[in-house]
Amino acid sequence: MTSRTELANAIRALSMDAVQKAKSGHPGAPMGMADIAEVLWNDYLKHNPSNPEWADRDRFILSNGHGSMLIYSLLHLSGYDLSIDDLKNFRQLHSKTPGHPEYGYAPGIETTTGPLGQGIANGVGMALAEKVLAGQFNRDGHNIVDHNTYVFMGDGCMMEGISHEACSLAGTLGLGKLIAFYDDNGISIDGEVEGWFTDDTVKRFESYGWQVIPRVNGHDAEEIKQAIETARANSEQPTLICCKTIIGFGSPNKEGKEECHGAPLGDDEIALTRERLGWKHGAFEIPENVYAGWSAKEKGAAAESAWDQKFAAYAAAYPELAAEYKRRIAGELPADFAAQAQAYIDECQAKGEVVASRKASQNTLNAFGPMLPEFLGGSADLAGSNLTLWKGCQGVSETDASGNYIFYGVREFAMSAMMNGIALHKGFVPYGATFLMFMEYARNAVRMAALMKQRSIFVYTHDSIGLGEDGPTHQPVEQVANLRNTPNLETWRPCDTVESATSWKAAIERKDGPSALIFSRQNLPHQTRDAAQVAAIAKGGYILKDCAGTPDAIIIATGSEVSLAVEAAEQLAGKNVRVVSMPCAEVFCKQDAAYIESVLPASVSARVAVEALHKDYWYKFVGLNGKIIGMDTFGESAPAGELFKEFGITTDAVVAAVNSLI
């Protein structure tokens, strides 16, 4: 029988060989955590390499993603579709093994990690999704949702503030199936962390409500195993297992030093390491007995088969629940959602309500929520201001996880990263809200949602200087331009109830990425439209008010400024002026050339854009000779009406701009 040491050394060998071949990478963490990984993956992890998408698998996250060769080695050795040639291609263009784990590149990668702390926050989201899904679907004698989330994390993850946000909430919600391993090796890129990181990690996590298992020898399989047993036995609390390890374990001259953290060991040191570890095989050479010791295919297939039998019994007892579970895990919306949602949009047009778009958003949630049991909403505090609670909301708590709304507290970054984890887990459509200004705290998690193509819906209210008296600290200026410039993110800024409902429908139906929905604090007038115009909203930009013949000028606006554009066009009645509402520029730019030309004909160069946000984004639509009515400074503290006058975002300013161009 192959020894545990030899199995772990296979990880060390593959990791140092791949980093050396790539001439860059981080061998230290994989070599230091190899023993922990060996025990977890071979004795506890419930997974099936032949079906990486099995719904009830355990989730494994490498939060310290720079140690990516650890997870690539594990996937390869245990039998996933990740070949030795893929490992040899580490960090190369279009490989399945990029420098940090990237979701969608290789089977078995549960989330993209690298920005430290987000992996553990994703893990909290996954563990929360498991608990809520179990609360909604499990029945006495039928635990079809029953899996753990395991996270590896290092000193860097601990130092990042997001780990505090997420782990604090994990303790409050009693996520007992979340087990994190802290790789306490005392080294970061700058050297020994005791010069800048002296937290009492044990007391910190105990204060969160976690079970903490301290001082585990990360190179002693029996200690590791005992710690995992203790963690799994506690279903009431998440567990942190503090593992003392030696970074670069096995390297005679570099272990325990920052030299092995982020650089190849070098050919000479690798030869010495092989000798010290007793690893007598060449580069990328794994003997058959080691492969046999690692293979999880047979065990994984048996585990999934056993679950299939459990699910068959569940389906026999609860056929409707079983069908609903399968639909939600597949990410399919209810068959009648599109039609019902469109009917509500048409109803909004007929009613013509004058409300703030944040209120229009809440009204939409009240309409759409009953259709979507997969909705898992929330807000980073501020629910009474974001208006994200709808009539059917039930809070998720430590003792009752069957609800559909999470009170995230003042944790914008953790909320956003947890939403990504929830989306990745599957079974839910997560949305979460804060003021638009505080997107800044969560910016990197929003970017990660776009990078991973996840259906996370970010709701941002109080969208401009229009929020008024709270002043420039709370008045967003540059944030929407930032969101719009994020690849694969669709940013909607609707002008009334109809566009608000359409933006929600688009975000919910989108499967290949996240959406940001931008809503106002102040009331917005209703806009008159015919059926064709209502349908065209979904194209991101459309002609809201037209003129006879070819326009002399085009006014483009979004959100609260659409009404200014319409008023300006009315004052310019003697001239041919077209008003284009563009609630989502990114979606508009995806339309075919003929549609774009029909809305914004190239022959019309007299163009004015108006938006109470940063001007620069709009040059792509108005050209360098066009005019932009917007912001290029921060705001001030005053009532909204005074601020629009102060910064020149008025009907008169739009009229003057148009007149200057024609």
Side-chain angles (χ1 to χ4, degrees):
M1 182 176 178
T2 309
S3 70
R4 286 191 180 277
T5 299
E6 190 173 4
L7 295 176
N9 284 344
I11 295 173
R12 296 184 172 104
L14 287 173
S15 298
M16 62 185 183
D17 288 343
V19 171
Q20 187 65 30
K21 187 174 189 300
K23 296 183 174 61
S24 71
H26 299 75
M31 296 173 74
M33 299 190 80
D35 297 303
I36 307 167
E38 189 279 321
V39 174
L40 175 64
W41 276 61
N42 282 325
D43 290 12
Y44 295 99
L45 195 70
K46 182 177 69 171
H47 65 121
N48 183 5
S50 299
N51 183 13
E53 296 298 316
W54 171 32
D56 203 47
R57 69 192 181 279
D58 290 340
R59 271 62 170 180
F60 174 80
I61 299 168
L62 184 69
S63 189
N64 45 342
H66 54 270
S68 56
M69 270 310 303
L70 174 64
I71 195 167
Y72 297 149
S73 299
L74 289 164
L75 294 170
H76 169 72
L77 290 167
S78 60
Y80 285 80
D81 183 17
L82 196 68
S83 69
I84 199 72
D85 286 334
D86 291 322
L87 270 57
K88 290 178 181 178
N89 211 23
F90 178 55
R91 286 180 161 241
Q92 305 309 301
L93 184 63
H94 300 315
S95 76
K96 295 165 73 173
T97 51
H100 290 80
E102 301 284 353
Y103 178 78
Y105 282 56
I109 301 294
E110 299 286 1
T111 182
T112 297
T113 56
L116 293 175
Q118 285 200 64
I120 179 63
N122 293 162
V124 173
M126 290 181 189
L128 178 58
E130 192 275 344
K131 184 168 183 171
V132 175
L133 204 66
Q136 293 179 355
F137 283 96
N138 286 355
R139 296 294 183 267
D140 288 344
H142 296 277
N143 289 334
I144 58 158
V145 182
D146 184 14
H147 53 267
N148 292 302
T149 301
Y150 297 101
V151 182
F152 280 9
M153 57 193 297
D155 289 306
C157 295
M158 287 294 186
M159 285 184 260
E160 290 285 2
I162 190 174
S163 70
H164 162 76
E165 293 184 29
C167 294
S168 167
L169 189 55
T172 298
L173 294 175
L175 303 183
K177 291 183 179 176
L178 173 63
I179 299 173
F181 296 80
Y182 168 34
D183 180 31
D184 183 12
N185 62 37
I187 296 291
S188 67
I189 288 177
D190 282 353
E192 296 180 7
V193 301
E194 62 183 15
W196 47 87
F197 182 55
T198 58
D199 298 12
D200 190 327
T201 299
V202 172
K203 288 182 180 177
R204 172 186 164 189
F205 275 77
E206 286 177 345
S207 77
Y208 296 155
W210 286 53
Q211 171 181 235
V212 182
I213 304 172
R215 298 180 298 279
V216 173
N217 183 344
H219 303 295
D220 185 317
E222 287 307 310
E223 282 195 33
I224 297 164
K225 189 168 184 175
Q226 184 177 347
I228 296 173
E229 291 284 350
T230 302
R232 287 165 57 92
N234 186 343
S235 61
E236 307 300 318
Q237 297 172 287
T239 297
L240 179 70
I241 301 174
C242 299
C243 298
K244 197 66 183 173
T245 66
I246 299 171
I247 191 170
F249 183 90
S251 171
N253 298 303
K254 295 187 178 182
E255 70 175 14
K257 301 175 183 178
E258 65 271 17
E259 294 172 66
C260 67
H261 173 92
L265 296 181
D267 290 331
D268 292 343
E269 188 66 14
I270 286 176
L272 292 173
T273 303
R274 275 185 158 76
E275 183 178 349
R276 182 174 172 187
L277 294 174
W279 188 259
K280 300 177 181 179
H281 317 289
F284 297 102
E285 182 183 327
I286 304 295
E288 286 304 315
N289 67 303
V290 172
Y291 275 127
W294 269 107
S295 179
K297 285 187 173 181
E298 186 176 336
K299 184 167 60 175
E304 184 173 355
S305 177
W307 182 83
D308 287 342
Q309 293 177 32
K310 285 172 60 177
F311 190 82
Y314 176 78
Y318 303 99
E320 291 183 2
L321 275 176
E324 179 72 356
Y325 172 85
K326 290 173 71 174
R327 178 188 71 78
R328 284 175 52 177
I329 291 296
E332 300 297 332
L333 294 174
D336 57 354
F337 172 75
Q340 289 193 45
Q342 190 59 51
Y344 175 74
I345 292 168
D346 294 338
E347 181 184 327
C348 287
Q349 184 63 46
K351 279 186 176 180
E353 288 185 289
V354 176
V355 296
S357 55
R358 62 171 174 160
K359 181 60 180 177
S361 168
Q362 185 180 50
N363 292 343
T364 303
L365 289 172
N366 277 314
F368 290 1
M371 311 175 199
L372 297 168
E374 55 264 61
F375 249 0
L376 188 55
S379 183
D381 209 56
L382 300 174
S385 296
N386 297 144
L387 303 185
T388 44
L389 284 164
W390 54 280
K391 292 175 182 177
C393 281
Q394 176 188 339
V396 172
S397 69
E398 178 183 11
T399 55
D400 183 0
S402 63
N404 60 0
Y405 193 88
I406 302 159
F407 292 91
Y408 284 101
V410 187
R411 299 181 177 95
E412 297 89 354
F413 196 0
M415 173 184 73
S416 304
M418 287 173 63
M419 286 166 55
N420 293 342
I422 291 166
L424 287 159
H425 180 279
K426 295 186 173 61
F428 298 99
V429 175
Y431 69 87
T434 185
F435 289 176
L436 175 56
M437 175 53 62
F438 304 130
M439 176 280 293
E440 296 287 359
Y441 286 140
R443 167 70 188 141
N444 201 264
V446 177
R447 182 178 187 271
M448 297 297 283
L451 186 64
M452 293 189 285
K453 302 180 175 67
Q454 292 305 297
R455 182 163 49 185
S456 294
I457 303 175
F458 301 103
V459 179
Y460 299 126
T461 69
H462 297 61
D463 69 338
S464 71
I465 58 171
L467 71 87
E469 293 85 345
D470 277 340
T473 61
H474 283 54
Q475 292 167 7
V477 173
E478 71 275 25
Q479 286 66 36
V480 170
N482 188 321
L483 292 169
R484 288 178 177 140
N485 283 317
T486 301
N488 198 42
L489 177 66
E490 293 181 356
T491 302
W492 292 81
R493 188 171 183 251
C495 75
D496 64 1
T497 60
V498 184
E499 289 190 0
S500 296
T502 302
S503 69
W504 265 110
K505 180 175 182 288
I508 291 164
E509 291 180 336
R510 187 180 186 210
K511 290 185 177 182
D512 61 352
S515 301
L517 309 183
I518 314 295
F519 298 121
S520 72
R521 179 195 183 197
Q522 71 272 32
N523 286 347
L524 304 181
H526 172 73
Q527 300 299 328
T528 302
R529 303 175 184 84
D530 60 25
Q533 288 173 305
V534 171
I537 296 170
K539 295 183 178 181
Y542 63 103
I543 301 169
L544 178 62
K545 181 178 176 60
D546 211 359
C547 56
T550 302
D552 297 322
I554 299 173
I555 306 172
I556 307 167
T558 79
S560 52
E561 289 68 66
V562 168
S563 61
L564 296 182
V566 171
E567 289 169 5
E570 290 170 351
Q571 290 187 24
L572 292 160
K575 298 170 181 174
N576 282 355
V577 177
R578 171 180 292 178
V579 176
V580 171
S581 177
M582 195 172 290
C584 187
E586 304 94 308
V587 169
F588 177 74
C589 290
K590 293 177 184 176
Q591 304 307 310
D592 60 53
Y595 179 77
I596 292 173
E597 173 66 17
S598 73
V599 176
L600 297 177
S603 61
V604 182
S605 60
R607 300 184 185 186
V608 175
V610 53
E611 185 175 58
L613 295 165
H614 203 287
K615 296 177 178 180
D616 282 3
Y617 179 80
W618 291 103
Y619 283 109
K620 66 189 289 183
F621 292 103
V622 304
L624 293 178
N625 295 319
K627 298 287 187 180
I628 303 169
I629 308 298
M631 299 290 293
D632 52 19
T633 68
F634 295 117
E636 294 288 349
S637 178
E642 293 182 26
L643 290 172
F644 279 98
K645 292 176 184 176
E646 172 70 18
F647 291 103
I649 304 172
T650 64
T651 301
D652 288 345
V654 179
V655 170
V658 172
N659 282 329
S660 73
L661 294 173
I662 58 176

